[in-house]
Amino acid sequence: MLAKAVLSPIVVRALAEDLEGGDLTTEATVDPGAVAVAYAVARSEVVVCGGDVFRAVFAEVDPMLETTSGAAEGLRVPGGTVLWSVRGSARGILMGERTALNFVQRLTGIATLARAYVDAVPKGFPARITDTRKTTPGLRALERYAVRTGGAHNHRDTLGSAVLIKDNHIALSGGITDAVRRARERAPHTSRIEVEVESLAQLDEALAAAADIVMLDNFSPDDLDEAVRRAKGRALVEVSGGITLERIPVLARAGIDVISVGALTHSANAADIGLDIQSARGQLA
Amino acid sequence: MLAKAVLSPIVVRALAEDLEGGDLTTEATVDPGAVAVAYAVARSEVVVCGGDVFRAVFAEVDPMLETTSGAAEGLRVPGGTVLWSVRGSARGILMGERTALNFVQRLTGIATLARAYVDAVPKGFPARITDTRKTTPGLRALERYAVRTGGAHNHRDTLGSAVLIKDNHIALSGGITDAVRRARERAPHTSRIEVEVESLAQLDEALAAAADIVMLDNFSPDDLDEAVRRAKGRALVEVSGGITLERIPVLARAGIDVISVGALTHSANAADIGLDIQSARGQLA
Amino acid sequence: MLAKAVLSPIVVRALAEDLEGGDLTTEATVDPGAVAVAYAVARSEVVVCGGDVFRAVFAEVDPMLETTSGAAEGLRVPGGTVLWSVRGSARGILMGERTALNFVQRLTGIATLARAYVDAVPKGFPARITDTRKTTPGLRALERYAVRTGGAHNHRDTLGSAVLIKDNHIALSGGITDAVRRARERAPHTSRIEVEVESLAQLDEALAAAADIVMLDNFSPDDLDEAVRRAKGRALVEVSGGITLERIPVLARAGIDVISVGALTHSANAADIGLDIQSARGQLA
Amino acid sequence: MLAKAVLSPIVVRALAEDLEGGDLTTEATVDPGAVAVAYAVARSEVVVCGGDVFRAVFAEVDPMLETTSGAAEGLRVPGGTVLWSVRGSARGILMGERTALNFVQRLTGIATLARAYVDAVPKGFPARITDTRKTTPGLRALERYAVRTGGAHNHRDTLGSAVLIKDNHIALSGGITDAVRRARERAPHTSRIEVEVESLAQLDEALAAAADIVMLDNFSPDDLDEAVRRAKGRALVEVSGGITLERIPVLARAGIDVISVGALTHSANAADIGLDIQSARGQLA
Amino acid sequence: MLAKAVLSPIVVRALAEDLEGGDLTTEATVDPGAVAVAYAVARSEVVVCGGDVFRAVFAEVDPMLETTSGAAEGLRVPGGTVLWSVRGSARGILMGERTALNFVQRLTGIATLARAYVDAVPKGFPARITDTRKTTPGLRALERYAVRTGGAHNHRDTLGSAVLIKDNHIALSGGITDAVRRARERAPHTSRIEVEVESLAQLDEALAAAADIVMLDNFSPDDLDEAVRRAKGRALVEVSGGITLERIPVLARAGIDVISVGALTHSANAADIGLDIQSARGQLA
Amino acid sequence: MLAKAVLSPIVVRALAEDLEGGDLTTEATVDPGAVAVAYAVARSEVVVCGGDVFRAVFAEVDPMLETTSGAAEGLRVPGGTVLWSVRGSARGILMGERTALNFVQRLTGIATLARAYVDAVPKGFPARITDTRKTTPGLRALERYAVRTGGAHNHRDTLGSAVLIKDNHIALSGGITDAVRRARERAPHTSRIEVEVESLAQLDEALAAAADIVMLDNFSPDDLDEAVRRAKGRALVEVSGGITLERIPVLARAGIDVISVGALTHSANAADIGLDIQSARGQLA
């Protein structure tokens, strides 16, 4: 559930990009009293995501438009499924069409990709797939929601939510031990401390500093196995960087706890969803 | 050139997504007076795009940060090239790093993809590659700029910029002839009238109505050739929908004037750009 | 139809100008439970414009206020006509009164002036009256709508909608021929190319460059006739600058296609519309 | 002096109306490194107003543009005077030209009209000319500044600044005496109490209630003289409604203290100011 | 009554502070279809304030939530009183809980403190208690409303509402006499002129200049009595600075007209209001 | 360090509250070219906080104003210390004075109160003092910064940063064990799981469920000791609710890890800071 206070401003800005100058075509060709109904239809198999946004877009074009949902968020549905529909002023529907599709194609695309990654984890292994902060500027709240809807997990929300000591922090401070200590002293007690490590030596230093999570960067398969062995029971083990769908089973079987995948949000393809519009009976007042 | 008035609000919102709660890690581990320099480096061949945004991001974190450009917008550069750099407060650089990269990876990704499409047009054929309105909600101004930077063209900017009579408009009005007539009567004289057609019969009707541009939807190769022949000298011919890089040469050789590609903006992968940060001499006051 | 996403932010800002500190007079003198009905009445003949804005203003003061329309947008009505009404909390009506009137007086003023210009075109001549980009900062969407409502046409919406090569562009680039060529190469194929010319020689150059529209600047009556003759069938002819109502018939009879009138938006007088408020039965909960 | 915090958001919104989609013409025809200088020139006699806004517009297009002032705010200058100039990127100047002119033409138009009203008050009479709340939605701060710059005065700023009991308040409350009493009890002690009266009887009631200011609505000349006589020394006397430039001397000689003129802001014509742009030496980095 | 246009933006920003990243706890633990009802209960005696804000917060989380009021604004109620309630989605209620309480605890705290000051004025003395401009940045409209709700009065709303010549103005201009004269010439006729004075000599100067209000700064009890005597009938007398509840009776008995108390808004403690949430029957669609 | 993108919008809104209608007093009494210097002086001992905001306020009034810092953030300084100063346009300084003070009095008040709580923890005990989400709507980023500046710690930033299962969540879900399990499955791995417990039995259930943190609600002193004993080594122990300065030593000595104090932000008194303004040499251009 996305709070209206979070969702509406994003939707309003997106509509303004398209409609500040009106809709020349629709105003010229479609009668103001005309009524229509439109169905958002998946053109191929997808994991459904974006019903709240679909509704919000049309409500911010014209509050009299009525939307309904045809498929639950997070459900995997075959091509041809009606995901949502909208009924009312034909003009209003046409004016919101592109913006609504831009949102739901992106969100459903992310949810569908997230599900593929989740499904690639072999049964019985605990690895969770997470997003990263590599989200589209301005859409983080929505894209993280899509990741959750797809069955994957979110990584930390913002730079203020949890500590992740990366190579640059280590280079610019006094090393891992010192950085972990200072982070623990300063950060909220509700936040875990994660450290990115590039070698087994760094891993040992992070574990000795009692990091809660270690992120393995570019470890060879052998080193990765060794790292998992050393960290087991002492810290969660995350891998990140260069993750592809094909690598998931191997990483999961290696005992990795968390696999963070930037591609979930920065490189998901838009889902193929179309809006089929039909004239409907009735006439607006 | 992107006007500051257009660029800054987008950048401010993106930074707020990450920094409303401060940066726990950086504040804990990096000294407030520490100085650093950071280089945005292309990890593979790209078409450069986003220098203004890179600069704006760091300026909206801390106006004292200084950015420089290492490669001109629109240039194709090999992996390893330094695209831009920033120098100043180490804290400020770390706080803006992710947001800056999220922007430039997306924009450079779009420019690079656009260039690939443009380069796929065989020499001597006039076909232009354009974007569509399938842009990321909130980022249309930036993404259209990236398309231009890549050497491709923009389609109409908004629903108020030009007329494009699509299947839904035709269905909800009284047919092509009537729709074109009404559009010509109503739309600004600076806007061309484009009509989407699904058959040679519709094409003939659009040409008879003196549409300025016809968009061929799902035509067979034979029908497409015939359509180009009928339209030549009477209207520009555009194809859209289901365009892939592989189809470009054939479409161009068929004499198509405009090939519009939604994937340029809705499915471009993020370019691989990293930020290499080093400690620098000096100390902030 | 103005999308709520475009209209609401404008209305909210306008109300905030008046109501940030509350309404001292109304809060002191009018009972919170008092109910009233108010009628927006044209004090003289006008072309009606602004019903959506009237409704939006009161809805943004108090969503419980109910508005109705008494006259269709674009209709010419005699003085004394009730244009719109609003019923509900007397306090809410009084708080929104001035802002609502400020909007509808301006929009109706523009629509009424636009109609006067349109009506000044003699029957049988095709000249269209258009606005310019000389709109009130912050109100372009509304004012362009008012122009359309008055029966006139819009010129291009923004600097991104169409090309208009003016004297300054010509001076700062390499001349008309080059400027048209570059514009055609760069601008969206949906946008026409217009060139402002100051002499018959420039006109010839623009026509030779195949400009779609030529704008005649300060031509003598004789030159204007000659210009129309040369351009006929090759480009649309627009005149702009120093247009008054009195000159319209002559310009139209000269065969001009487009007469753009900055005064429509920058110098329209506010229409005389008053709000007659009466106490009504009932009591708010 | 207008605070940046008040001025910038207004300017940013206005620029966004024009530049969200870039500037097709300028980007196509003018070299990115080209340098220009532009002079805002009054085409006829005006009272100068808007230098801060002129500067702010170009700064929000491109902070590297440099503006200078050629004539002091509030000065009456002859046609041909250079009011302000701007130097730097030719592209930037062209992109901000229209928005800058839209602002300063409006503000200078208001200041010039205000000055005309002020000058119409015969020497030796104390009548002050004021604006009303009939300002352009979104531009109240600027338009009130223009009124002051023209030498006229502002009326109350907002509904929260002072009490003005109008006919509707009287009708919806228990009459003048009661309304004044309640207003005095509730309103800030820093605010005066003004009452609109439609007859000598109402005037007497308002004076008896010790209103600080009485506003005479539609009084005959004889009644107006009588009203001034009765109110003298007891309350300030204001007239409003249907004021024209021609009536000012008579009203002033009648001893009126305040003449409020809605037309100052709702019906001022745009001043005729042009921007003369020339190529300048140099080349941007 | 707070206009929606003023209230909603404040509420939306506050909710965004909490909910941009969703509500981890609620989404994980509470079923999306669960229904609840929640009661905002005063834990101790308070003066009720904030019903509109309570309603607005939940409406901006989820417009389907229904709120009701249990106690009128401005009423003093004992601990245990249900002030407002909300019913609907359990998730929505939990997501809005903290923001709603932050608002109403603050506003009710201010109203309650204001009432205490008002009640400290002995019967029969006319002194009014007012706030100052020492309000919380971003919340002035709400806090001034709370002051009124508590029975106290507002001072001027903004720097544009009335004139208050303080020590710094006097120091930076040519003295009291000159400053009052210039203010009277320039300020709206609806605004009173107030002068802050630090001695009986300054008081005399302000009275001679016909200031409407004098503000006594740091006067000894004897001087204060003398000041009241000198000002009586010539100007309202205000005291400000270092006011505590204990001093109110003495100040009121001294004949002071206005006692302005910064602490009303800058140092009011949050009222103790809790939200008791219960599971309710039903299930959301 | 507060990012400009986070700080500026807050400052702009606050200034707009005061300055939308200009500054009547300053414009009337102070010469536009007058130069002044102003010193923000602590009137009593404080912990300094708010230099960035002080600077931002004056920069958003007039970018030419120059600010300097006289005391480091977080330093405890005696009454009489100059904290910051500003030099430039006398008008600009007076226009920003109140807003700047409103911010820094609040932030310094919070920092000073936070320091008092921190100092109340007896030496050698590890208890940390934290804030809560009971922050002023719209000012969370600033107030949390003030808490850190005072030497205390932040609790979780937003509802999306960490899990805190409170009584209402327990009531609306299936109990502690189930809630913790579901939270661990869903929440980011970077977030800790905290559970509020009201009895030793609930404590045992939370510990058995492996909660990372337990928050003890209203435990008797004996139960509190017992709770600490049971939780030691298994979970962090937090107390919240009804905390006063006087209780800190006892709670710390009991071995509590975290004491969260809503009063830090919801009931801190404004610090006594004044702005001493003097005329300075020079004259603005």
Side-chain angles (χ1 to χ4, degrees), chain D residues 38-79:
Chain D
Y39 302 93
V41 181
R43 304 294 190 214
S44 60
E45 188 184 272
V46 298
V47 175
V48 182
C49 185
D52 281 351
V53 188
F54 186 86
R55 179 169 30 253
V57 167
F58 289 107
E60 294 289 349
V61 171
D62 175 358
M64 303 298 290
L65 291 170
E66 287 177 14
T67 47
T68 57
S69 173
E73 296 285 289
L75 204 66
R76 188 200 305 271
V77 300

Side-chain angles (χ1 to χ4, degrees), chain E residues 170-195:
Chain E
I170 296 169
L172 293 169
S173 67
I176 289 176
T177 305
D178 191 52
V180 171
R181 182 186 52 74
R182 287 164 70 176
R184 195 177 310 285
E185 280 172 17
R186 293 286 301 274
H189 62 289
T190 52
S191 301
R192 286 196 170 135
I193 311 285
E194 178 164 5
V195 181

Side-chain angles (χ1 to χ4, degrees), chain F residues 225-243:
Chain F
D225 286 341
E226 174 63 20
V228 170
R229 216 173 23 204
R230 293 191 191 179
K232 228 41 189 185
R234 301 177 66 190
L236 287 175
V237 178
E238 175 177 343
V239 291
S240 187
I243 307 294

Side-chain angles (χ1 to χ4, degrees), chain D residues 244-265:
Chain D
T244 57
L245 200 50
E246 292 68 33
R247 293 184 60 202
I248 299 296
V250 172
L251 292 169
R253 288 181 205 282
I256 301 295
D257 298 294
V258 179
I259 308 170
S260 52
V261 186
L264 291 191
T265 52

